[in-house]
Amino acid sequence: MKTNVLITSISKKVPLLKVVKQAVSRVTSEAIIIGADSHMSCIGSYFVDQFWHMPRLDELNITELIAYCERYNIGMIVPTRDGELLYFAKHRISLAERGIHVMISDEQAVTACLDKLCFFEELHTYQYPVIQTTLSIDTISATRYVVKERHGAGSHNIGLNLNKEEAINQANKLSMPVFQPFIEGKEFSVDMYIDRDRTMKGVIVRQRELIVQGESQISTTVQHPMIEGVCVRVAQTLQLYGHIIFQVIEDKRGSIHIIECNPRFGGASTLSIAAGLDSFFWCYLEARGEELATYPFCRSETEKRLVRHTNDWISDV
């Protein structure tokens, strides 16, 4: 049985690396965590058992990846960057045939999440409360707007709370812009794990209290059954798998607006791990062929808060 874990695009995602290592160690003491990145000197390389200076994905064919995984006894891959999700979704079955399990949804589901226009159009068909997304600002009835890139997730070059002229100017700076109405309200992230049978294993809602450059720096877990319910239904409609994050706004009237879905682990998702969403533990068990029925979701009885901050690490050389 392949026991080791490969985490790609590790960059400086030290909290993620730590929770994966903790989860895997609960199953076996023999596994090692291999971190990969195209940048040799990335910070994450100091926090894994072994580092792979991985080629860019456009230079890495699937045969080479499989050969590396077999050489180093890798049975599970965790992609962490938006730009690599489609690569792993496309090759998910080929990897599985060689005993290499990837925490990734299938290609159709990942495409629907990464294409914001497609995401809106598909969910709107099912009458889910997804935020209006369009290629033309003139089709939106609003006074303030959001402009963002159509593909991918994250906040790169996003324009928030803009008037119409500002929104059009911002759109001219983007390669493929889409427009959305700007909605004021409380922002939430919804972490969930969906097992290989596409059954919801667990879900945690966390309120984003301080956001810097699109990432939550202060988050607090909350009980919000309405948001949980709608996001679970959307995830099952899209046939998602693994750790999934939804971004949601609750407006002043209490209405829910689904902004986007990221089919991967997020920067502040470690809060949900601490609150009982055992995503990497469950995924590692599934990679070993185990059923999850005897490993229940046990949500923390108390709410938890995450404060993200810089931390120094000093070692001997």
Side-chain angles (χ1 to χ4, degrees), residues 33-52:
I33 305 301
I34 301 171
D37 202 280
S38 60
H39 296 283
M40 174 67 84
S41 58
C42 72
I43 291 173
S45 65
Y46 293 93
F47 295 87
V48 291
D49 300 314
Q50 181 175 314
F51 178 68
W52 178 24

Side-chain angles (χ1 to χ4, degrees), residues 149-199:
E149 290 284 6
R150 174 176 173 175
H151 296 99
S155 59
H156 183 62
N157 286 333
I158 191 172
L160 291 172
N161 195 15
L162 307 177
N163 63 33
K164 189 171 185 177
E165 181 180 357
E166 291 169 335
I168 292 171
N169 289 336
Q170 179 66 22
N172 290 331
K173 302 175 185 177
L174 306 184
S175 59
M176 194 175 293
V178 291
F179 300 91
Q180 297 172 337
F182 175 75
I183 297 173
E184 286 191 87
K186 297 177 182 178
E187 295 191 35
F188 298 89
S189 290
V190 184
D191 287 302
M192 61 180 66
Y193 188 84
I194 304 170
D195 69 20
R196 61 186 170 201
D197 296 324
R198 302 305 187 265
T199 300

Side-chain angles (χ1 to χ4, degrees), residues 196-208:
R196 61 186 170 201
D197 296 324
R198 302 305 187 265
T199 300
M200 180 60 53
K201 185 66 179 173
V203 56
I204 297 283
V205 179
R206 47 187 173 86
Q207 186 169 349
R208 291 154 56 93

Side-chain angles (χ1 to χ4, degrees), residues 1 75-76 92 96 99-106 192-202 235-236 238-244 279 281-295:
M1 179 181 292
M76 173 174 150
R92 178 178 61 90
I100 305 161
H101 182 82
V102 186
M103 186 192 271
I104 193 70
S105 303
D106 63 32
M192 61 180 66
Y193 188 84
I194 304 170
D195 69 20
R196 61 186 170 201
D197 296 324
R198 302 305 187 265
T199 300
M200 180 60 53
K201 185 66 179 173
Q236 293 175 331
L238 293 176
Q239 287 290 287
L240 295 167
Y241 166 74
H243 190 102
I244 308 297
S279 295
F281 178 68
W282 292 326
C283 188
Y284 191 68
L285 291 172
E286 290 192 308
R288 294 166 64 91
E290 296 194 37
E291 298 294 332
L292 299 185
T294 56
Y295 300 94

